[in-house]
């Protein structure tokens, strides 16, 4: 066997009745890519809830019997370049990005990722993360940890409301999530938003204060709505929010939304990235995401507020904004834990615990 024919190992599943497992396939590095593609030797990949959510929703009759690969975020080194690829991508370049797919045969929890850098965006050259000597993580870990969460947060703030200023006020439901970590840093340091209030567990309040939230209220002590009402009266001169951003799956503000969100004529938005209900990660059903109430909220033409479903949109160039913020020290990707490739089950358990503070990253080597 030539040393250009290698065994590629990936973390995959077939459907919701099959467990996640490591599968191997032989690939010939001389011929496994097209003229417009590159081959990346993956060094690290990050997990996101979307992976085990799509796994649990994967019905074999609907989604085929092929092996589907985990993960979207990656970092690695280019080892092959097709002859029609733009010459900004060279062998030896360190790159990171978000490889977008749903039920893709290709995913990023794999040793070798083949993609088209003109189409499979965002992809970027890796930026060195400012670190001190005690920093336990290398640049590949950091680089894999941020594109999807940062891109989601940036797109929510950038794509709907355009007139942010120092008087703007935002409420974040789920202040501890990785997406909200990026959200508060972008809100404060890029859009210069004056007030960002967050809702998190009582035990996370101290941790989240350091991230830049102006105010934090608990979701596990008293009523969420009452807690935010008290905050609004005591600290915000009873002013309403310009945006309510939900990174958890919540519906408690809808019946009283006119008390909390400015009128839609003021260009205010309610944005969710997780639907109307908090999913039970160990037992996910389609109803968690496509509930009647969500469909009604999305389609009701008479609702008195702007409602949007947020997702990362690579066309807004969030990857460049992320690079800039990492370089100037205003955003550092949060890492919860790092696992070896063979420990993929522990890594998935950690993110499924719903207690991670930052990204769960898997190192391939
Ligand atoms: N639409 C999209 O394109 C998109 C993109 C990315 C993510 N998402 C979705 O966004 C959500 C967040 O993703 P993520 O990766 O940022 O999450 P994550 O980092 O895994 O979130 C973990 C944190 O959630 C908090 N949490 C748990 N239960 C909560 C509750 N009932 N209320 C408020 N906070 C709670 C916990 O902190 P506490 O200590 O505060 O409880 C925990 O530290 C997921 O549902 C994910 O699927 C959607």
């Amino acid at each position: 066997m030539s040393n250009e024919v290698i065994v590629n190992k990936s973390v995959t599943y077939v459907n919701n009745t099959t467990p996640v497992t490591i599968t191997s396939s032989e690939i010939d590095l001389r011929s496994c890519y097209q003229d417009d593609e590159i081959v990346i030797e993956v060094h690290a990949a990050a997990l996101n809830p979307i992976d085990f959510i799509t796994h649990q929703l994967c019905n074999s009759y609907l989604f085929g019997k092929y092996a589907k690969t985990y993960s979207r975020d990656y970092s690695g080194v280019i080892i092959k370049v097709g002859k029609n690829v733009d010459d900004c991508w060279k062998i030896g370049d360190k790159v990171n990005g978000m490889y977008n797919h749903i039920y893709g045969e290709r995913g990023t929890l794999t040793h070798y990722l083949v993609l088209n850098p003109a189409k499979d965006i965002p992809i970027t050259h890796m930026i060195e993360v400012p670190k001190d000597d005690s920093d336990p993580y290398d640049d590949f870990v950091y680089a894999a940890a941020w594109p999807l969460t940062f891109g989601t947060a940036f797109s929510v703030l950038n794509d709907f409301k355009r007139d942010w200023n120092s008087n703007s006020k935002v409420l974040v439901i789920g202040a501890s999530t990785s997406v909200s970590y990026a959200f508060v840093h972008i809100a404060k340091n890029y859009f210069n938003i004056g007030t960002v209030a967050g809702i998190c567990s009582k035990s996370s309040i101290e941790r989240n204060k350091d991230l830049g939230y102006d105010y934090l209220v608990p979701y596990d002590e008293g009523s969420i709505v009452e807690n935010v009402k008290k905050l609004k009266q005591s600290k915000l001169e009873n002013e309403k929010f310009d945006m309510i951003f939900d990174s958890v799956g919540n519906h408690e503000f809808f019946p009283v939304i006119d008390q909390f969100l400015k009128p839609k004529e003021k260009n205010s938005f309610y944005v969710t990235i997780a639907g109307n209900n908090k999913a039970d990660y160990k037992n996910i059903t389609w109803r968690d995401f496509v509930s009647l109430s969500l469909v009604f909220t999305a389609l009701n033409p008479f609702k008195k507020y702007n409602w949007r479903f947020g997702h990362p949109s690579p066309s807004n160039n969030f990857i460049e904004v992320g690079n800039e913020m990492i370089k100037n020290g205003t955003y550092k990707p949060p890492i919860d834990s790092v696992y070896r490739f063979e420990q993929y089950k522990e890594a998935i358990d950690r993110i499924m615990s719903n207690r991670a503070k930052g990204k769960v990253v898997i190192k391939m080597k």
Side-chain angles (χ1 to χ4, degrees):
M1 190 189 285
S2 146
N3 62 5
E4 293 263 73
V5 179
I6 45 95
V7 174
N8 188 25
K9 290 186 178 170
S10 312
V11 170
T12 66
Y13 60 91
V14 175
N15 60 51
N16 56 10
T17 67
T18 65
V20 63
T21 184
I22 292 180
T23 44
S24 303
S25 60
E26 217 171 65
I27 55 173
D28 187 336
L29 290 176
R30 291 163 302 192
S31 57
C32 66
Y33 58 100
Q34 307 289 320
D35 291 346
D36 53 3
E37 290 181 325
I38 59 176
V39 183
I40 298 168
E41 186 176 15
V42 177
H43 283 233
L47 294 177
N48 286 286
I50 183 78
D51 292 307
F52 57 76
I53 292 173
T54 45
H55 181 187
Q56 288 182 53
L57 296 178
C58 185
N59 179 303
S60 62
Y61 296 107
L62 292 178
F63 299 110
K65 292 190 166 46
Y66 61 94
K68 299 152 187 86
T69 305
Y70 254 58
S71 291
R72 286 143 190 78
D73 287 315
Y74 65 88
S75 62
V77 176
I78 298 176
I79 56 163
K80 295 284 175 185
V81 177
K83 66 177 189 308
N84 295 340
V85 168
D86 189 294
D87 63 10
C88 71
W89 307 112
K90 296 190 179 64
I91 289 177
D93 286 359
K94 294 177 180 175
V95 291
N96 63 319
M98 180 184 85
Y99 178 74
N100 219 351
H101 69 97
I102 292 281
Y103 297 133
E105 274 184 90
R106 293 179 193 175
T108 65
L109 202 37
T110 188
H111 284 81
Y112 298 91
L113 174 66
V114 180
L115 57 75
N116 178 336
K119 288 194 179 142
D120 296 317
I121 54 168
I123 175 170
T124 183
H125 288 94
M126 271 169 52
I127 291 294
E128 197 179 321
V129 174
K131 298 187 269 316
D132 58 35
D133 292 345
S134 64
D135 205 313
Y137 308 119
D138 63 31
D139 282 327
F140 285 110
V141 168
Y142 283 116
W146 64 271
L148 191 148
T149 45
F150 186 96
T152 307
F154 182 79
S155 302
V156 168
L157 282 161
N158 181 72
D159 294 359
F160 307 126
K161 184 172 171 62
R162 301 272 174 170
D163 51 355
W164 295 114
N165 61 52
S166 59
N167 293 320
S168 302
K169 293 182 177 51
V170 177
L171 175 65
V172 176
I173 306 174
S176 312
T177 66
S178 300
V179 176
S180 295
Y181 181 104
F183 187 96
V184 66
H185 284 81
I186 300 166
K188 285 288 180 182
N189 302 321
Y190 187 83
F191 289 103
N192 300 316
I193 291 173
T195 304
V196 183
I199 301 169
C200 61
S201 70
K202 208 172 141 205
S203 61
S204 293
I205 286 182
E206 281 311 309
R207 177 252 187 189
N208 290 342
K209 268 185 197 162
D210 293 341
L211 308 186
Y213 289 100
D214 298 286
Y215 307 104
L216 287 151
V217 297
Y219 65 74
D220 47 1
E221 192 175 71
S223 137
I224 295 179
V225 171
E226 280 306 314
N227 290 345
V228 177
K229 194 173 180 177
K230 276 185 213 146
L231 171 76
K232 189 171 142 264
Q233 286 164 348
S234 62
K235 305 283 187 198
L236 306 180
E237 294 168 352
N238 222 11
E239 275 196 47
K240 298 178 191 176
F241 295 100
D242 296 276
M243 178 179 277
I244 298 178
F245 168 57
D246 176 14
S247 72
V248 172
N250 186 286
H251 51 256
E252 291 174 62
F253 287 93
F254 292 139
V256 286
I257 200 149
D258 54 338
Q259 293 177 33
F260 292 94
L261 192 64
K262 289 180 185 169
K264 67 176 173 187
E265 301 71 45
K266 300 252 178 192
N267 201 23
S268 61
F269 287 88
Y270 187 104
V271 184
T272 182
I273 58 166
N276 284 4
N277 298 301
K278 173 85 189 86
D280 169 3
Y281 279 175
K282 301 243 156 78
N283 184 22
I284 291 180
T285 65
W286 280 103
R287 258 182 300 166
D288 293 324
F289 302 95
V290 206
S291 62
L292 270 181
S293 84
L294 183 74
V295 174
F296 184 71
T297 314
L299 301 180
N300 174 10
F302 302 111
K303 64 180 173 296
K304 296 201 176 102
Y305 53 95
N306 293 312
W307 181 95
R308 297 285 186 276
F309 189 84
H311 57 87
S313 22
S315 59
N316 64 28
N317 222 11
F318 69 73
I319 203 89
E320 291 311 322
V321 178
N323 278 342
E324 212 41 60
M325 288 184 65
I326 289 171
K327 251 193 276 182
N328 68 25
T330 52
Y331 170 74
K332 184 173 181 181
I335 310 294
D336 176 84
S337 43
V338 179
Y339 294 83
R340 283 181 288 108
F341 182 67
E342 297 72 23
Q343 296 173 303
Y344 67 94
K345 282 188 184 150
E346 285 105 301
I348 294 170
D349 284 348
R350 176 62 187 154
I351 190 168
M352 259 190 172
S353 73
N354 212 208
R355 299 266 67 89
K357 294 286 176 298
K359 297 302 296 179
V360 176
V361 178
I362 294 186
K363 278 191 87 165
M364 312 306 293
K365 292 185 174 221

